[in-house]
Amino acid sequence: MDELEIKVKLQISKPVSEVKDAIIRADKMANYFIAEGARNMEEGKNIQWTFPEFPEMIIDVKILKIDSDQVIFEWEGSKNKQLEVRIDLEERPGNSTLITVSEGKMKYDPEGIVWLKRNTEGWSNFLACMKAYLEFGINLRKGGFEFMKAS
């Protein structure tokens, strides 16, 4: 094993079009992932994300591709490393969507292992928070990271 790659999946009981809309529209993403005020994702554009719990952290995101069942962007997934993130949306029975988030790749070394743990946890949280928001209107992220703020 020379390279590590993140891949997480979760099914949401909403149609692909609604899930995709919640990913590319900043006003919707602010209910489960980013802070308010970001721009919508548009193919070929650069945007910035901030997070409600960490306003000092600004993430540059380059949108590479948006189509009916996929969103691809690039960001600094690990310190000084631009990594590609792919979000694939697969229509499932019952008007549901299987979301697969892939990020990577990085070397199988101590830095790569830290990245794999941190970002796998982050993308799993992203999917769980999106599911709670889309299916139940709940913002799971709100207050969830207070323990990480500097005292």
Side-chain angles (χ1 to χ4, degrees):
M1 177 190 317
D2 293 336
E3 291 185 313
L4 301 170
E5 180 180 14
I6 292 169
K7 188 171 281 191
V8 295
K9 296 180 179 194
L10 189 68
Q11 188 164 313
I12 294 180
S13 297
K14 294 292 178 180
V16 167
S17 60
E18 192 171 332
V19 173
K20 183 182 128 197
D21 196 51
I23 294 168
I24 65 173
R25 285 190 38 196
D27 63 328
K28 293 197 176 195
M29 199 182 264
N31 290 295
Y32 68 91
F33 187 55
I34 61 173
E36 293 183 41
R39 291 180 26 219
N40 291 342
M41 289 186 171
E42 294 179 52
E43 194 169 307
K45 301 285 184 178
N46 294 321
I47 60 174
Q48 290 187 324
W49 285 342
T50 57
F51 298 89
E53 308 87 355
F54 314 107
E56 69 285 349
M57 182 181 0
I58 299 170
I59 306 293
D60 293 313
V61 181
K62 180 179 181 182
I63 313 306
L64 301 175
K65 180 180 178 184
I66 297 175
D67 65 25
S68 61
D69 62 354
Q70 187 177 68
V71 176
I72 302 174
F73 61 88
E74 186 177 82
W75 72 345
E76 187 176 2
S78 186
K79 188 173 173 94
N80 299 317
K81 297 205 183 317
Q82 293 297 309
L83 298 173
E84 184 177 281
V85 175
R86 295 173 52 110
I87 302 175
D88 293 303
L89 309 171
E90 179 186 332
E91 187 176 328
R92 303 291 294 175
N95 217 17
S96 292
T97 303
L98 177 62
I99 306 165
T100 303
V101 179
S102 306
E103 181 181 353
K105 299 176 175 168
M106 285 192 55
K107 289 181 183 176
Y108 181 41
D109 62 14
E111 180 185 4
I113 292 169
V114 168
W115 160 79
L116 183 73
K117 178 193 176 303
R118 183 186 61 236
N119 287 24
T120 298
E121 185 179 271
W123 286 118
S124 296
N125 183 269
F126 167 85
L127 290 175
C129 289
M130 186 190 326
K131 182 177 182 69
Y133 167 65
L134 287 177
E135 291 184 9
F136 305 103
I138 298 170
N139 185 341
L140 284 182
R141 201 172 165 104
K142 189 172 189 173
F145 294 97
E146 292 297 317
F147 70 96
M148 294 178 71
K149 288 185 176 179
S151 333

